[in-house]
Amino acid sequence: MLLVTAAAAASQQGGGPNDAQIAHIAYTAGEIDVAAGRQALAKSHNRTVRAFAQEMVRDHAAVNEQALALVKRLGVTPEANPTSTALSAAAETKHAELSHLNGAAFDRAYVTNEVAYHRTVNGALRDTLIPSAQNGELKSLLQTGLTLFSEHQAHAEHLAMSLK
């Protein structure tokens, strides 16, 4: 929810975030999910949760590598902004919250967070970041990410149902 709210606020303040800000938001969102996946791999003993976490680490790291290569090729420096800063702060809070849980309680909380996180990120990609992107290659990478992350959301929703 935070990402959508912050991105919407940026949109109202000047027609949406610029490409450098979008790159930073997208990269930050990916790094947050890589860190969450690594936390799950360190704490969970559930095979399906661990497999999902490995998928999150692999896929988000790969998209972030593509994003870094693109901004380097384009000569764009990702620009920190209120949205990426708010994302990082919220992620730190969630990481600390999850660190106090173990076993099935951790698994349920991690997967529930993944559902909500992907729902929020996908909405921001669809409604704010992709429409605001000016560079065609950046827009294309964001659209590819939205397709992949929509699959992640469906996977997380299915996994959440199996953990109830």
Side-chain angles (χ1 to χ4, degrees):
M1 200 58 154
L2 181 63
L3 178 65
V4 173
T5 303
S11 177
Q12 292 171 353
Q13 293 173 354
N18 63 40
D19 285 357
Q21 293 167 331
I22 291 168
H24 202 278
I25 292 166
Y27 184 83
T28 300
E31 282 298 295
I32 287 168
D33 217 23
V34 167
R38 287 186 178 138
Q39 183 182 33
L41 289 170
K43 292 190 67 78
S44 181
H45 299 288
N46 181 304
R47 259 191 6 229
T48 57
V49 171
R50 290 180 59 77
F52 176 78
Q54 287 171 331
E55 180 182 336
M56 295 306 99
V57 170
R58 180 195 68 224
D59 290 355
H60 286 278
V63 169
N64 272 3
E65 286 178 29
Q66 292 174 14
L68 286 176
L70 175 62
V71 296
K72 186 175 181 180
R73 190 171 69 250
L74 297 175
V76 173
T77 301
E79 181 183 318
N81 56 79
T83 301
S84 59
T85 301
L87 278 172
S88 294
E92 287 177 28
T93 300
K94 181 55 75 173
H95 183 86
E97 178 186 312
L98 291 175
S99 72
H100 297 293
L101 301 174
N102 292 302
F106 172 84
D107 293 339
R108 283 190 301 274
Y110 165 69
V111 173
T112 298
N113 184 63
E114 285 294 300
V115 169
Y117 189 71
H118 281 89
R119 190 174 290 144
T120 299
V121 169
N122 291 340
L125 280 165
R126 182 182 54 253
D127 300 336
T128 303
L129 301 180
I130 292 171
S132 296
Q134 297 299 306
N135 179 278
E137 289 180 84
L138 175 59
K139 190 177 290 260
S140 178
L141 181 60
L142 293 171
Q143 289 167 329
T144 298
L146 177 57
T147 299
L148 179 62
F149 305 151
S150 293
E151 292 171 10
H152 288 172
Q153 181 182 333
H155 186 176
E157 289 168 348
H158 177 72
L159 183 54
M161 295 301 289
S162 74
L163 294 175
K164 288 191 177 204

